[in-house]
Amino acid sequence: MQDQTPLEDLARRAAAGDNVALDRLLAEIRPEVLRRCARFLPCREDAEEAAQDVLLQVARHITAFEGRSRFGTWLYTVVANCCRQKYRELKRRAAEQPAAIEPAYAVDPRTTSVIAGSRVDLLEALDRLERTHPHLVAPLVYRDICQLDYAEVAERVGIPLGTLKSRLHEARKQVRPWLAGA
């Protein structure tokens, strides 16, 4: 490829073992990673923790990036997996130790973001979908949350385009009532 973006070039060099390229890559992707984590996790601190997890995973597993797809596509996978893992961890912790909310930290419903609530609802719906139809989760996350185009999603998931569209239809059909009831 003659016309690689600087980010793609950094990713390829980092995957080949260039530590300077890896450091530059991590510095360049950090703001975008944080933005993408915030799409999944409404609480800024949780999004920041997930972003740190993503950067750590990228640093540890950059050699797994083979360059067959765009680096951004590979990165979206890491972001989605880390955010979903952070959500499950937070949910498990909350179930194990329900914390009393002090009045000073109580949420005022007039200032709570409706979008933040819907993201939590979406994470819960993804968690339910994974328990019932795990093969439908990745297509839904890549297409509707990461907003990859259909061809990229099909390539990433490793299924034909028609199968992808069928799974997306089914995933949306499964998730819609859970989100409507939230």
Side-chain angles (χ1 to χ4, degrees):
M1 286 184 172
Q2 301 291 359
D3 57 333
Q4 290 181 4
T5 65
L7 196 60
E8 293 292 325
D9 183 52
L10 279 176
R12 290 181 198 287
R13 289 183 11 228
D18 182 340
N19 288 330
V20 173
L22 177 61
D23 290 342
R24 284 189 49 214
L25 178 69
L26 293 173
E28 286 195 29
I29 66 172
R30 188 182 193 297
E32 180 64 20
V33 165
L34 184 54
R35 273 191 297 279
R36 292 204 176 274
C37 288
R39 286 176 119 174
F40 280 93
L41 300 163
C43 176
R44 180 161 178 79
E45 291 83 10
D46 297 339
E48 287 173 352
E49 280 185 39
Q52 288 302 316
D53 293 344
V54 169
L55 296 174
L56 184 61
Q57 291 300 317
V58 169
R60 285 184 177 161
H61 302 289
I62 189 67
T63 55
F65 174 63
E66 298 171 349
R68 289 184 294 178
S69 61
R70 292 184 352 209
F71 174 71
T73 304
W74 184 84
L75 181 61
Y76 295 155
T77 305
V78 178
V79 169
N81 289 339
C82 285
C83 287
R84 291 178 55 230
Q85 181 60 38
K86 175 58 67 184
Y87 173 71
R88 285 194 287 276
E89 175 187 318
L90 292 168
K91 191 173 160 185
R92 186 181 66 246
R93 257 195 264 154
E96 289 171 357
Q97 309 171 352
I101 299 174
E102 296 179 29
Y105 295 105
V107 176
D108 181 351
R110 295 169 298 177
T111 60
T112 302
S113 167
V114 173
I115 295 170
S118 66
R119 280 185 271 176
V120 170
D121 298 338
L122 179 60
L123 286 166
E124 183 61 34
L126 288 172
D127 204 36
R128 285 177 73 179
L129 185 63
E130 188 163 37
R131 287 191 302 270
T132 58
H133 304 291
H135 65 288
L136 300 178
V137 174
L140 187 66
V141 167
Y142 292 143
R143 178 67 189 134
D144 290 357
I145 297 174
C146 296
Q147 298 175 336
L148 298 179
D149 64 40
Y150 287 101
E152 279 184 290
V153 176
E155 178 186 330
R156 189 75 192 139
V157 178
I159 57 176
L161 190 59
T163 304
L164 168 73
K165 289 181 178 182
S166 172
R167 286 186 184 177
L168 269 172
H169 175 74
E170 183 61 27
R172 290 169 180 157
K173 190 170 88 177
Q174 292 288 325
V175 168
R176 192 172 293 121
W178 300 333
L179 294 177

